[in-house]
Amino acid sequence: MADVAAKERKILVAVDEGEESMHALSWCLKNVISENSKDTLVLLYVKPPRAVFSALDGTGYLFSADIMAAMDKYSNDVAECVVEKAKRMCKDLHDVKVETRIEHGDPRDVICQMTEKLGVDILVMGSHGYGLIKRALLGSVSNHCAQNVKCPVLIVKKPKSTATNN
Amino acid sequence: MADVAAKERKILVAVDEGEESMHALSWCLKNVISENSKDTLVLLYVKPPRAVFSALDGTGYLFSADIMAAMDKYSNDVAECVVEKAKRMCKDLHDVKVETRIEHGDPRDVICQMTEKLGVDILVMGSHGYGLIKRALLGSVSNHCAQNVKCPVLIVKKPKSTATNN
């Protein structure tokens, strides 16, 4: 009956700069992860490709190399900041191993690939990631992942009533 | 921080005649529900509307009243059978309250409505419910629910390797 060992699971939480993914992580910590379990929790942040920003520059010339470099720096800073914030939320887990990963690419593809590559038992994510503009360009990350990954997917929406206090 | 009490949750599992939903329930029992928790587990089966069958009868006359009555009887028997099977899978839960519900209508709408009505904390379902023909007519139930319910949604796919032994 047991095709997944209940106490040694690998749980991948896709985090981004939005509050909803932090809510998803928080919900997962309270509802999925047992404190005394031997679970491994992987916090994954995917830096969207520069094309997402470049797409805003229709001319292809508007953004100078300096601006692109500044954008890369900003993108790295955001990644570090998000991952650190997520990690801090997990500080009360004692037996659970917490790993962080920063990857680069289309979040839809990278999340699916990492889920497969790491042999993840459950993927946890918010329903709306990566902001309005990026989502319009990239499509819904959670929809894509729910349809394409093989493991169970938990999609956690941020309740509207608590939208401003995380 | 706690907007959902970790130990008194209402978990709705949408079950149907397919093996995948039973796998979803089984996965949920092993990974989401703690044996000693005060969780309430609601097993929901939604009988699809007769229109789903009628749609197969393009003429609108082909199926006599007798056949329709037989279909209704069959539909009720399937519902009872599915719910009983799901209930048997939960027999080892001691403190968890297990409830069963059989509703009628478009599964997409009914599952969303029941989630709201019962104040469910998490909705669990397989990714492909209600068979190929019904799905073609009804659309993907899990996609619809993942996009429309407010609570966290856990979509569990049946691994291909164990597709024949549930």
Side-chain angles (χ1 to χ4, degrees), chain A residues 11 13 17 19 22-23 26 65 80 82 122 148 160 162 164:
Chain A
I11 299 162
V13 182
E17 52 271 52
E19 279 187 8
M22 292 299 158
H23 174 75
S26 163
E80 291 293 342
V82 168
I122 177 167
N148 288 283
K160 285 205 175 114
T162 58
T164 51

Side-chain angles (χ1 to χ4, degrees), chain A residues 87-105:
Chain A
K87 213 172 165 184
R88 276 200 306 275
M89 289 172 64
C90 306
K91 66 180 180 345
D92 293 333
L93 298 175
H94 300 295
D95 292 329
V96 177
K97 200 174 151 194
V98 180
E99 296 172 4
T100 62
R101 293 190 81 113
I102 296 175
E103 299 288 337
H104 182 261

Side-chain angles (χ1 to χ4, degrees), chain A residues 120-131:
Chain A
V120 166
D121 296 302
I122 177 167
L123 167 64
V124 181
M125 58 198 312
S127 70
H128 299 107
Y130 294 94

